[in-house]
Amino acid sequence: MTAERRTKIVATIGPASTREDLLSSLIEAGMDGARLNFSHGTHEEHGESARLVRAAQAAMGRPIALIADLQGPKVRIGDLPAPVELREGEAVVVADQDAARGDDLPVAPGVLAGAAHAGCDILIDDGLVRLRVERVEGARAFSRVVTGGVVNPHKGVNLPGVSLPVPSLTEKDLADLDFALGLGIDYVAQSFVRSRADVALLRAKLERAGSEAWVIAKIELQEAVAALPDILEEADAVMIARGDLGVEVGVAEVPLLQKQIILSALERGKPAITATQMLESMIARPEPTRAEASDVANAILDGTSAVMLSAETAVGRYPVEAVETMAEIARAVEPSLGYRHQLPAAAEAPTVGRAMSNAACDLAEALSAKAILVPTFTGKTASAVARLRPQRPIVALTHVLGSLQHMALEWGVTPLEIEESTDVDDLWRRSIDAAREAGIVSEGDRVVLTAGTAVNIPGSTNVIKVDTA
Ligand code: PGA
Ligand code: MN
């Protein structure tokens, strides 16, 4: 069996990785997706990162998914004249910025009026400080300190389980989105998604802008967990955003939720990205902790499509080593992954495409084919095959650059560029030739191909062909 890595790796680009030679090293180490985090940095910096990622991609000859991660409606502490120390049992007032008086702790955007209520908690700085609301007057929440600590200006604020009256895309998000679309990004990651409608709103904006970018819904709120099936219908992919999710639901709930979210995404053939603190100690050290190595391995065994690095590659001292470590762990654990194709499609009406994918995997297995070749227009057929987690390599072939870059994040899929075909025989031949040129199959190897015979019409998968390279 092949030693190719199947799980994809997303690395966040920041000051520690914005250099073309470093980006080439990250790609060589195994980076498949590059994430621009719009919670930090300027447009100028992200523009430079995007340009360098594309240059490194061209130099290395491998498609890279470029992801713009929007900050979303993140609530923060406002300006403070000085850090505030809070002691357990003390009374404190948290207020929407416009309504704050005297020593109130201001928050922005204003979310307390009409949302905060007696009994709810206000968490500050990833939950390091916890307050409990005792009563609310207008936009001021009179609270008691449950866990004390120092509050610094602009730290993040979470109100677990509280539905916040703010738009899903802030003014900043809209400006960032506009800028990011100009960079030719492949995916937009949407933070603090609450519902299917939030995702639909972003999708409508993308459509209006004529963008082909796909939407990654970041699951980091209780509301999103509750609405997951609906969100998965609308989004193209999901991210298990364990940082904020851990603050919102409590860290103890995260491991099982991770498994459930991955499984739900798999059942719908949508990629799932597991994110945050995967190799956190590698920000400062060249070796991960054993717990971190296990975390990456377990996410892979859970069925994740991709694993993500944040600060490790954005600001850490060992960005290349972090990617290498993930790739090594993936290669070590993947041979133990289960083969899913025999599972029935859960609770969904069978489609021709799905049945064809299943049969293609069966054939590839029964015939010990060297690879499953999937000529595809949008990449959706490759996703449908990937969701079955076949042991045989999946090679997706297309002339559409955007599709190659989308598929860079799809589990087990090697995206290869081919020239546009005029008829189906031409398509089969080009596909086999490309897989041979890439060294994935050799002359005489058996391959299974699956595609639509109505060439270049999306969603028309209707043929499986067994051939010899
Ligand atoms: P963030 O999202 O890094 O943009 O906050 C990921 C997370 O919350 O885990
Ligand atoms: Mn987050």
Side-chain angles (χ1 to χ4, degrees):
M1 196 60 30
T2 173
E4 277 294 297
R5 175 171 49 84
R6 318 299 299 273
T7 311
K8 299 303 178 76
I9 299 174
V10 176
T12 304
I13 307 305
S17 38
T18 307
R19 241 174 49 201
E20 192 179 338
D21 60 330
L22 255 177
L23 287 163
S24 293
S25 301
L26 291 178
I27 295 174
E28 189 163 22
M31 176 175 79
D32 302 289
R35 169 184 179 245
L36 309 177
N37 183 1
F38 281 84
S39 292
H40 302 286
T42 62
H43 281 185
E44 198 186 346
E45 285 161 350
H46 290 307
E48 179 69 353
S49 297
R51 193 182 65 73
L52 293 175
V53 166
R54 292 306 191 206
Q57 152 175 352
M60 303 301 288
R62 220 177 74 212
I64 300 293
L66 191 58
I67 305 163
D69 194 330
L70 303 178
Q71 176 174 258
K74 174 87 183 166
V75 182
R76 293 183 185 277
I77 299 285
D79 291 327
L80 295 175
V84 177
E85 180 160 7
L86 296 177
R87 290 202 179 75
E88 189 184 324
E90 210 178 327
V92 59
V93 180
V94 184
D96 287 345
Q97 197 150 274
D98 299 342
R101 317 177 196 157
D103 288 339
D104 289 3
L105 277 179
V107 298
V111 294
L112 298 174
H117 53 84
C120 81
D121 282 359
I122 298 178
L123 304 188
I124 302 167
D125 197 0
D126 286 344
L128 290 180
V129 172
R130 177 183 293 264
L131 317 176
R132 185 145 307 143
V133 176
E134 293 183 333
R135 71 195 154 82
V136 180
E137 286 179 14
R140 300 174 74 220
F142 291 76
S143 312
R144 190 70 58 188
V145 180
V146 178
T147 310
V150 176
V151 177
N152 285 296
H154 310 131
K155 286 294 174 188
V157 173
N158 297 70
L159 282 83
V162 174
S163 182
L164 300 181
V166 282
S168 164
L169 296 165
T170 65
E171 291 296 319
K172 172 177 161 48
D173 292 335
L174 293 173
D176 289 346
L177 178 65
D178 196 43
F179 176 74
L181 292 181
L183 301 177
I185 48 149
D186 303 301
Y187 286 90
V188 183
Q190 188 178 19
S191 295
F192 300 104
V193 165
R194 296 163 295 195
S195 63
R196 177 182 189 146
D198 283 351
V199 181
L201 180 72
L202 173 56
R203 189 179 291 294
K205 297 229 179 280
L206 291 172
E207 265 165 32
R208 220 167 304 140
S211 167
E212 303 273 329
W214 285 7
V215 177
I216 301 170
K218 291 170 70 176
I219 308 302
E220 50 190 341
L221 290 174
Q222 281 174 20
E223 273 175 288
V225 172
L228 187 64
D230 276 351
I231 290 171
L232 275 167
E233 287 287 318
E234 191 70 37
D236 299 292
V238 290
M239 183 194 296
I240 302 119
R242 304 185 304 180
D244 282 292
L245 186 61
V247 179
E248 291 284 334
V249 305
V251 288
E253 302 294 328
V254 173
L256 266 181
L257 278 177
Q258 171 179 318
K259 290 174 196 293
Q260 289 161 2
I261 297 166
I262 289 170
L263 194 60
S264 301
L266 249 178
E267 279 169 0
R268 286 162 186 80
K270 307 253 170 120
I273 303 165
T274 303
T276 307
Q277 294 180 339
M278 297 212 90
L279 296 175
E280 185 83 355
S281 74
M282 289 192 77
I283 293 169
R285 293 156 50 93
E287 267 266 310
T289 66
R290 302 326 178 229
E292 288 163 349
S294 285
D295 181 46
V296 173
N298 282 315
I300 292 168
L301 292 172
D302 289 344
T304 199
S305 311
V307 283
M308 191 175 108
L309 295 162
S310 301
E312 297 93 332
T313 48
V315 295
R317 280 182 62 190
Y318 301 97
V320 178
E321 289 84 348
V323 174
E324 273 168 357
T325 299
M326 273 190 162
E328 247 175 76
I329 296 167
R331 278 192 293 265
V333 70
E334 283 166 356
S336 308
L337 267 174
Y339 180 40
R340 274 178 55 91
H341 85 278
Q342 66 276 30
L343 296 183
E348 285 173 282
T351 64
V352 173
R354 191 157 317 184
M356 298 299 284
S357 303
N358 216 49
C361 291
D362 278 343
L363 273 170
E365 212 47 47
L367 300 173
S368 298
K370 195 65 190 280
I372 303 167
L373 307 189
V374 190
T376 172
F377 190 76
T378 60
K380 297 287 183 191
T381 315
S383 288
V385 176
R387 87 195 271 270
L388 303 166
R389 298 296 190 255
Q391 292 181 47
R392 311 280 151 186
I394 306 162
V395 184
L397 305 112
T398 182
H399 66 277
V400 185
L401 179 63
S403 297
L404 288 168
Q405 290 166 179
H406 284 144
M407 285 186 289
L409 288 193
E410 184 60 82
W411 184 95
V413 172
T414 304
L416 292 182
E417 190 170 5
I418 52 170
E419 271 173 45
E420 189 166 4
S421 301
T422 45
D423 61 61
V424 73
D425 286 322
D426 190 42
L427 186 64
W428 301 139
R429 191 181 48 75
R430 282 186 200 283
S431 299
I432 292 175
D433 287 351
R436 270 175 60 177
E437 266 165 45
I440 299 168
V441 303
S442 314
E443 191 173 351
D445 282 343
R446 182 161 280 162
V447 294
V448 171
L449 301 106
T450 181
T453 46
V455 176
N456 298 341
I457 298 177
S460 63
T461 305
N462 61 356
V463 169
I464 300 172
K465 184 175 159 62
V466 178
D467 209 337
T468 305

